[in-house]
């Protein structure tokens, strides 16, 4: 079995500190998860970031984030496996 790990874009909606780490609540089109911003110190509230295994690994613009989310909605099973629930509008 091959395991696919996705980088999923989302919008930072809140930034906070947890045990000395800069953390964010990230919205993935209705699903919200916490992510570490250690690798993206430039990210602020409203910034779109790509999340991989709980870490923001890069920033992207809103248009690119929306294009990627549309593709991921078409791949609902893979996204559900990564987030633990489907993106709204994918089913």
């Amino acid at each position: 079995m091959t395991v696919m790990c996705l980088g999923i874009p989302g919008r930072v909606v809140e930034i906070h500190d947890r045990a000395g780490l800069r953390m964010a609540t990230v919205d993935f089109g209705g699903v919200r998860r916490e992510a570490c911003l250690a690798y993206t110190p430039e990210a602020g509230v409203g910034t779109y970031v790509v999340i991989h295994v709980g870490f923001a690994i890069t920033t992207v613009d809103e248009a690119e984030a929306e294009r990627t989310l549309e593709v991921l909605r078409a791949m609902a099973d893979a996204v559900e496996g990564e987030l633990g629930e489907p993106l709204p509008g994918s089913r």
Side-chain angles (χ1 to χ4, degrees), residues 6 15 21 28 30-31 35-36 43-44 49 53 56-57 65 70 72 74-76 81:
L6 299 172
I15 295 175
L21 288 174
F28 301 94
V31 175
C36 180
V49 292
V53 293
I57 57 173
E70 284 304 312
L72 292 174
M75 301 169 41

Side-chain angles (χ1 to χ4, degrees), residues 39-67:
Y39 301 134
T40 55
E42 71 279 14
V45 171
T47 301
Y48 284 81
V49 292
V50 175
I51 304 297
H52 177 68
V53 293
F55 289 85
I57 57 173
T58 191
T59 60
V60 294
D61 65 33
E62 182 177 4
E64 179 63 24
E66 289 301 323
R67 280 192 298 274

Side-chain angles (χ1 to χ4, degrees), residues 2-90:
T2 301
V3 176
M4 180 179 9
C5 294
L6 299 172
I8 301 177
R11 186 175 61 84
V12 174
V13 294
E14 177 184 296
I15 295 175
H16 55 277
D17 181 84
R18 188 177 72 181
L21 288 174
R22 190 167 177 256
M23 303 294 290
T25 301
V26 180
D27 182 79
F28 301 94
V31 175
R32 289 187 175 192
R33 295 286 184 264
E34 186 175 61
C36 180
L37 297 178
Y39 301 134
T40 55
E42 71 279 14
V45 171
T47 301
Y48 284 81
V49 292
V50 175
I51 304 297
H52 177 68
V53 293
F55 289 85
I57 57 173
T58 191
T59 60
V60 294
D61 65 33
E62 182 177 4
E64 179 63 24
E66 289 301 323
R67 280 192 298 274
T68 302
L69 285 171
E70 284 304 312
V71 170
L72 292 174
R73 282 185 184 98
M75 301 169 41
D77 291 337
V79 174
E80 186 171 351
E82 193 74 15
L83 291 178
E85 61 185 277
L87 287 174
S90 65

